[in-house]
Amino acid sequence: MKPKVLILRTAGTNCDSETAVAFKLAGGQTDLVHIQNLISGKVDLSDYHILAIPGGFSYGDDIAAGILLAVEMRHKLSNVLEEFVADKKLIIGICNGFQVLVRTGLLPGLSTEKNATNIDMPQRSTLAMNTSTRFECRWVNLKTEVNQCIFTKGIKPNLYLPVAHAEGRFTAPQEVLDELENNQQVVFRYSNASHHSSDNIEYPNNPNGSDSNIAGICDITGRIFGLMPHPERFLTKWNHPRWTREDLPEEGDGLVLFKNAVDYAKATFHE
């Protein structure tokens, strides 16, 4: 069985094709689906095993990045999303998709798994304007934390991925940050290239000023995952900015995230 991946599209989405390539290389079957086809019922989300919300500038990032798509999902797709999560299926949000997930409340979610299916939950964190007050586009070093995330099972301790965003500063009240730490929901932190440490990291190593240098988080179940860096932009060594100067492995750092998702779906849903 090839797990089925729905890659959500709307006005302003621009990383859907790259995300589709990533899941195809990982062994998944992908469909690019406009949100109106979900809202109308033309496409049934329950037919899929993985939902991917890719990067871009949904609805032009009017008001705030990802907020209009988040409102649309909360008010028009809440029932199908709750069913999807309750069925232990996977959701990944990359860059703009991460912004959407925090604004729906699906991330970081609540602190107990029994409440994880409730999309009508308050927004408990946000992705605010970068402290540099400008769009940041560069490759960054990431440190993998001990975490619950399905997407990062067996992943190496340090990754190198590109970012491209203006509103990527993860921030939350201290009690939420403490909860993320205690529940092992912090997946990636921005780090220092030479020491692979996330201690005392400042700009530009932390490109946006995120609290605790947080670059990606998951929910309490580990099945909903959001990150600001773009793993779909580093799938093979040819994507690396120094591929002509360094002896690199064939597989890029980002591909394993998609492979883990597909492997989980294969093991969990025997159809």
Side-chain angles (χ1 to χ4, degrees):
M1 178 203 77
K2 277 194 172 186
K4 296 182 67 178
V5 185
L6 188 151
I7 299 171
L8 190 66
R9 297 180 58 253
T10 193
T13 301
N14 65 17
C15 297
D16 45 334
S17 295
E18 296 95 323
T19 306
V21 168
F23 275 110
K24 286 176 182 176
L25 287 174
Q29 175 185 332
T30 63
D31 289 324
L32 276 60
V33 177
H34 195 280
I35 190 170
Q36 292 303 323
N37 288 330
L38 284 182
I39 292 169
S40 68
K42 184 176 180 180
V43 175
D44 188 347
L45 183 60
S46 67
D47 291 337
Y48 294 84
H49 307 102
I50 302 168
L51 169 63
I53 309 174
F57 304 92
S58 58
Y59 298 114
D61 281 347
D62 285 346
I63 306 175
I67 195 167
L68 294 181
L69 181 54
V71 168
E72 197 167 29
M73 291 174 67
R74 283 183 68 122
H75 292 281
K76 298 179 181 179
L77 293 173
S78 60
N79 290 339
V80 295
L81 283 169
E82 285 182 12
E83 180 183 352
F84 191 84
V85 174
D87 287 342
K88 302 187 184 306
K89 296 179 177 179
L90 300 181
I91 301 177
I92 183 172
I94 302 168
C95 196
N96 196 239
F98 187 16
Q99 294 160 341
V100 170
L101 290 178
V102 299
R103 289 182 166 123
T104 60
L106 284 168
L107 284 178
L110 298 179
S111 58
T112 58
E113 185 167 350
K114 69 179 182 179
N115 294 318
T117 60
N118 181 13
I119 195 175
D120 191 27
M121 61 183 68
Q123 182 179 335
R124 306 175 67 224
S125 62
T126 196
L127 288 154
M129 178 62 69
N130 300 342
T131 52
S132 67
T133 70
R134 60 176 177 255
F135 189 86
E136 297 289 343
C137 183
R138 67 166 64 82
W139 286 66
V140 297
N141 294 282
L142 301 172
K143 178 184 177 184
T144 305
E145 297 292 344
V146 175
N147 64 78
Q148 303 294 327
C149 188
I150 298 295
F151 291 83
T152 58
K153 182 179 179 182
I155 200 169
K156 63 185 187 178
N158 304 105
L159 283 77
Y160 192 53
L161 294 175
V163 295
H165 57 255
E167 296 177 49
R169 177 167 58 91
F170 182 85
T171 185
Q174 189 59 50
E175 60 267 24
V176 175
L177 295 173
D178 292 342
E179 184 181 296
L180 292 174
E181 301 288 354
N182 294 335
N183 292 336
Q184 297 183 338
Q185 290 179 248
V186 177
V187 179
F188 293 128
R189 296 187 204 271
Y190 301 108
S191 71
N192 182 294
S194 58
H195 303 295
H196 299 301
S197 170
S198 58
D199 297 332
N200 302 315
I201 297 301
E202 297 179 352
Y203 182 87
N205 290 318
N206 179 337
N208 47 51
S210 287
D211 293 350
S212 303
N213 302 306
I214 291 173
I217 63 171
C218 64
D219 76 329
I220 192 71
T221 72
R223 296 189 296 269
I224 304 175
F225 173 43
L227 73 167
M228 287 310 299
H230 286 269
E232 81 285 4
R233 296 184 183 178
F234 188 19
L235 303 176
T236 77
K237 70 177 183 180
W238 316 112
N239 299 136
H240 194 286
R242 297 186 299 276
W243 69 268
T244 60
R245 289 170 282 168
E246 296 183 11
D247 184 17
L248 300 168
E250 291 293 323
E251 185 175 307
D253 286 358
L255 185 56
V256 65
L257 302 177
F258 304 97
K259 284 185 172 181
N260 279 334
V262 169
D263 288 347
Y264 167 88
K266 285 179 179 177
T268 306
F269 306 104
H270 305 286
E271 297 182 357

